[in-house]
Amino acid sequence: MSTTRKRVYGYLAEFKSASALYKAAEKVRDAGFRKWDCYSPYPIHGLDGAMGLKRSILPWFVFFGGMTGTATAFALAYSTQVVIYPTVVQAKPANIFTIPAFFPVMFELTILFSGFTVLFGLLALIQLPRLNHPLFASRQFHRATDDGFFIAIEARDPKFSPNQTKELLAEIGGANIELVEEED
Amino acid sequence: MASSTTTAHEPHTGVKLPVLEREKLILNERSYHWITERICGVVENKQPLLWWLLFIPSALIAAIGVGGGLFHLVSTGVGVWGNTNRVMWGWPIVNFVFWIGIGHAGTLISAILFLTRQNWRTSINRAAEAMTIFAVMCAGIFPAFHVGRVWFAWFLAPVPNANAVWQNFKSPLLWDVFAVSTYFTVSLIFWFLGMVPDLATIRDRCKPGIRKFLYGIFALGWRGGNRQWSHYEMAYLLLAALSTPLVLSVHSVVSFDFATSVVPGWHTTIFPPYFVAGAIFGGFAMVLTIMIPARFVYGLQDLITMKHIDNMAKIILLTGTIVGYAYLMELFVAFYSGAIYEMDAFKFRIAGPYWWAYAAMMSLNVISPQFFWFKACRENLWVVMAIAMCVNVGMWFERFVIIVTTLARMWLPGDWKTFSPSPQDQMLFVGTIGMFLALFMLFLRFLPCINIAEVKWTKLEADPHFDDKEHHPDPGATTIAAYQKELVGSKS
């Protein structure tokens, strides 16, 4: 007899197609759940609306990241070319009016800093990387990256109830409904 | 029902206009699972004999050419490259510009075609992006080592040093350092982020063990939940929007190396657009060169269809024609400027001792892609391969013409030299070809060579409203066959 305690993560239900997932998502959203997600092998167009998700805030991060890059490049070029070590090359002045010659580097660092902000901003927003997740204990979840469409409703959602949630998932067309447990 | 509000339901007289069906991007109605199996199969199954036949020689050439060549160069001195006069300086720069240009098709496919919603990009973008990364790696070797004492290459970076001298931010050579390193970094981020869901697919198919662990590490724990996809798609869009001006800027900055100098034949404003078009032109040729054989060897014909090849051929035709226009415009401006030095530079290019390079450039880059006007040529893969090879060689000659013929007749007659690459020069260039191929073979072996998630997304049933459409087909749509039938019926 196993002595490991298990904690319920939630219910996982499979849907037969992207369309079925989309319609089911609308119903789960309308039932008022908060801690749930739809899993699909590719991004489904319009599913954000069906789930009631807001537009990603990533562009704001990237805007400020990019501006930091612009400012960094300007500071670097100005301080080294004008303040610390002024040089007159190709008869270009060693003052602020030489700024057009700084534009290429300012542009490139804007892109570079934005690129890094996209990467790290995204990882922060989707809370990755992580080594494991309770859903990976499921026997069918591996199909979410192949051809499976799933909805998982978490037990920590205030509306979750062991019986009614299962009934809801069955009602909206979910198949292979599975109680996913994680080892405590 | 929503469809009842459209006007198509209203009775109308006369012949209905046909709605042409779009050519499918995935042939034979392949299922999601088939797509996963086929693409992951490339990584999971034993590699075909051809893979080994290509990998082993190219890895050896890379080891001897790049590894041995650079060892010899560093231990002996940069003089072995023949960099004793200004013409010899040209060879590493020819190869640098050649390789960096190859990379541009990858970013064009992944960024510009994404922003313009060209769904056909999904089958080829991964491999093209990989090509970008590897080509930029090959490109980076040349400028890094031709600085002479490579252990001082860090002088390129704006960090304080004992001489208290700072980099010259007004120099295009420093712009190049920033442009190329940014290009490499952002392309790598784009490539890696695009691959995360596909790495998760491979992870989920692995048996527990070291393989699963490693793919799992690089898949970052991706689950494919829509709360992840939602941010992920935004990130992808942002990277595409950032990469689009980036790719245009990189080859523009490379062209500034020449255009901002006061050398006849280089000092022209047409250089940035001309270089960018040429880079895309050469890059697409390389994509075709690599993908056509890979498509056969791994049985990917249903994913990389003739439609994809047709589109790429058309882009080669377009950019090749732009490049041809730029060549002719250069000649016209040299003539029209009335500047004798400019005219002389072009006379020297066409009729001087390097006439063969100019002739090769013109015929391979301008004339050979014109065959793509004909559908029969775009559909014959042998012809497509032959033209792609012509373009690969032709674009190398373009850089040779621009750089070497110009340097060979600089202002001072004392600089006039006839160029010949030293054996070490040739060894390193051949070595980078080997390195590029070897890296690409490793990519095919270990990473998903087609974007699994995005290819699935182009299937019709990926649309969440597909089921609704199936039950209520668009009443205005008629296939060609039905249309012809209707026409015949209306005559009789």
Side-chain angles (χ1 to χ4, degrees), chain B residues 446-471:
Chain B
F446 289 107
L447 296 170
C449 63
I450 292 183
N451 196 327
I452 305 173
E454 283 195 20
V455 163
K456 286 174 184 165
W457 182 82
T458 60
K459 276 169 69 71
L460 289 177
E461 56 265 44
D463 179 355
H465 305 295
F466 176 75
D467 287 359
D468 309 339
K469 282 178 191 156
E470 203 171 29
H471 298 139

Coordinates of all heavy atoms in Angstrom, one line a residue, chain B residues 446-471:
Chain B
F446 N 18.9 17.0 -34.8 CA 18.5 17.1 -33.4 C 17.3 18.0 -33.2 O 16.7 18.0 -32.1 CB 19.7 17.6 -32.6 CG 20.8 16.6 -32.4 CD1 22.0 16.7 -33.1 CD2 20.5 15.5 -31.6 CE1 22.9 15.7 -32.9 CE2 21.5 14.6 -31.4 CZ 22.7 14.7 -32.1
L447 N 17.0 18.9 -34.1 CA 15.9 19.8 -33.9 C 14.8 19.7 -34.9 O 15.1 19.3 -36.0 CB 16.5 21.3 -33.9 CG 17.5 21.5 -32.8 CD1 18.2 22.9 -33.0 CD2 16.8 21.6 -31.4
P448 N 13.6 20.1 -34.6 CA 12.5 20.0 -35.5 C 12.7 20.9 -36.7 O 12.7 22.2 -36.5 CB 11.2 20.3 -34.7 CG 11.7 21.1 -33.5 CD 13.1 20.6 -33.3
C449 N 12.8 20.4 -37.9 CA 13.2 21.2 -39.0 C 12.0 22.0 -39.6 O 12.2 22.8 -40.5 CB 13.9 20.4 -40.1 SG 12.9 19.2 -40.8
I450 N 10.8 21.6 -39.2 CA 9.7 22.4 -39.7 C 8.9 22.8 -38.5 O 8.8 22.1 -37.5 CB 8.8 21.6 -40.7 CG1 9.6 21.3 -42.0 CG2 7.5 22.3 -41.0 CD1 8.8 20.6 -43.0
N451 N 8.3 24.0 -38.5 CA 7.6 24.5 -37.4 C 6.3 23.7 -37.2 O 5.3 24.0 -37.9 CB 7.3 26.0 -37.6 CG 6.9 26.7 -36.3 OD1 6.3 26.1 -35.5 ND2 7.3 27.9 -36.2
I452 N 6.3 22.8 -36.3 CA 5.1 21.8 -36.1 C 3.9 22.6 -35.8 O 2.8 22.4 -36.4 CB 5.5 20.8 -35.1 CG1 6.8 20.0 -35.4 CG2 4.3 19.8 -35.0 CD1 7.2 19.1 -34.3
A453 N 4.0 23.4 -34.7 CA 2.8 24.1 -34.3 C 2.2 25.0 -35.3 O 1.0 25.0 -35.6 CB 3.1 24.9 -33.0
E454 N 3.0 25.7 -36.0 CA 2.5 26.7 -37.0 C 1.9 26.0 -38.3 O 1.0 26.5 -38.9 CB 3.6 27.7 -37.4 CG 3.8 28.7 -36.4 CD 4.6 29.9 -36.9 OE1 4.6 30.1 -38.1 OE2 5.1 30.7 -36.1
V455 N 2.6 24.9 -38.6 CA 2.0 24.1 -39.8 C 0.6 23.6 -39.5 O -0.3 23.7 -40.3 CB 3.0 23.0 -40.2 CG1 2.3 22.0 -41.1 CG2 4.2 23.6 -40.9
K456 N 0.4 23.1 -38.2 CA -0.9 22.7 -37.8 C -1.9 23.8 -37.9 O -3.0 23.6 -38.3 CB -0.9 22.1 -36.4 CG -0.2 20.8 -36.3 CD 0.0 20.3 -34.9 CE 0.7 19.1 -34.8 NZ 1.2 18.8 -33.4
W457 N -1.4 25.0 -37.6 CA -2.3 26.1 -37.6 C -2.8 26.5 -39.0 O -3.9 27.1 -39.1 CB -1.5 27.3 -37.0 CG -2.2 28.6 -36.8 CD1 -3.0 28.9 -35.8 CD2 -2.1 29.7 -37.7 NE1 -3.5 30.1 -36.0 CE2 -3.0 30.7 -37.1 CE3 -1.5 30.0 -38.9 CZ2 -3.2 31.9 -37.7 CZ3 -1.7 31.2 -39.5 CH2 -2.5 32.1 -38.9
T458 N -2.1 26.1 -40.0 CA -2.5 26.5 -41.4 C -3.6 25.5 -41.9 O -4.1 25.7 -42.9 CB -1.4 26.5 -42.4 OG1 -0.8 25.2 -42.4 CG2 -0.3 27.5 -42.0
K459 N -3.8 24.4 -41.2 CA -4.9 23.5 -41.6 C -6.3 24.2 -41.5 O -6.5 25.0 -40.5 CB -4.9 22.2 -40.8 CG -3.9 21.2 -41.3 CD -3.8 20.1 -40.2 CE -5.1 19.2 -40.1 NZ -5.3 18.4 -41.3
L460 N -7.2 23.8 -42.3 CA -8.5 24.5 -42.3 C -9.2 24.3 -41.0 O -9.8 25.2 -40.4 CB -9.4 24.1 -43.5 CG -8.9 24.5 -44.8 CD1 -9.8 24.0 -45.9 CD2 -8.9 26.1 -44.9
E461 N -9.1 23.1 -40.5 CA -9.9 22.8 -39.2 C -9.2 23.4 -38.0 O -9.8 23.3 -36.9 CB -10.2 21.3 -39.1 CG -9.0 20.4 -39.1 CD -8.7 19.8 -40.4 OE1 -8.8 20.6 -41.4 OE2 -8.4 18.6 -40.5
A462 N -8.1 24.1 -38.2 CA -7.5 24.8 -37.0 C -8.3 26.0 -36.7 O -8.3 26.5 -35.6 CB -6.1 25.2 -37.4
D463 N -9.2 26.5 -37.6 CA -10.0 27.6 -37.4 C -11.1 27.2 -36.4 O -11.8 26.2 -36.7 CB -10.6 28.1 -38.7 CG -11.5 29.3 -38.5 OD1 -11.8 29.7 -37.4 OD2 -12.0 29.8 -39.6
P464 N -11.3 27.9 -35.3 CA -12.3 27.4 -34.3 C -13.8 27.5 -34.9 O -14.7 26.9 -34.3 CB -12.2 28.4 -33.1 CG -11.5 29.5 -33.7 CD -10.6 29.1 -34.8
H465 N -14.0 28.1 -36.0 CA -15.3 28.2 -36.6 C -15.5 27.2 -37.7 O -16.4 27.3 -38.5 CB -15.7 29.6 -37.0 CG -15.5 30.5 -35.8 ND1 -16.3 30.5 -34.7 CD2 -14.6 31.5 -35.6 CE1 -15.9 31.4 -33.9 NE2 -14.9 32.1 -34.4
F466 N -14.5 26.3 -37.9 CA -14.5 25.4 -39.0 C -15.8 24.5 -39.0 O -16.4 24.4 -40.1 CB -13.3 24.5 -39.0 CG -13.2 23.5 -40.1 CD1 -13.0 23.9 -41.4 CD2 -13.5 22.1 -39.8 CE1 -12.9 22.9 -42.4 CE2 -13.5 21.2 -40.8 CZ -13.2 21.6 -42.1
D467 N -16.2 24.0 -37.9 CA -17.4 23.1 -37.8 C -18.6 23.9 -38.3 O -19.5 23.3 -39.0 CB -17.6 22.6 -36.4 CG -16.5 21.5 -36.1 OD1 -15.7 21.2 -37.0 OD2 -16.5 21.0 -35.0
D468 N -18.7 25.1 -37.9 CA -19.9 25.9 -38.3 C -19.9 26.0 -39.8 O -21.0 25.9 -40.4 CB -19.9 27.3 -37.7 CG -19.6 27.2 -36.2 OD1 -19.9 26.2 -35.6 OD2 -19.2 28.2 -35.6
K469 N -18.8 26.3 -40.4 CA -18.7 26.5 -41.8 C -19.0 25.2 -42.6 O -19.6 25.2 -43.7 CB -17.3 26.9 -42.3 CG -17.1 28.4 -42.0 CD -15.7 28.8 -42.3 CE -15.4 30.2 -41.8 NZ -13.9 30.4 -41.6
E470 N -18.6 24.1 -42.0 CA -18.9 22.8 -42.7 C -20.4 22.6 -42.8 O -20.9 22.1 -43.8 CB -18.2 21.7 -41.9 CG -17.9 20.5 -42.7 CD -17.1 19.5 -41.9 OE1 -17.2 19.5 -40.7 OE2 -16.3 18.8 -42.6
H471 N -21.1 22.9 -41.8 CA -22.6 22.7 -41.8 C -23.3 23.7 -42.6 O -24.4 23.5 -43.1 CB -23.1 22.6 -40.4 CG -22.5 21.5 -39.6 ND1 -22.2 21.6 -38.3 CD2 -22.2 20.2 -40.0 CE1 -21.7 20.5 -37.9 NE2 -21.7 19.6 -38.9

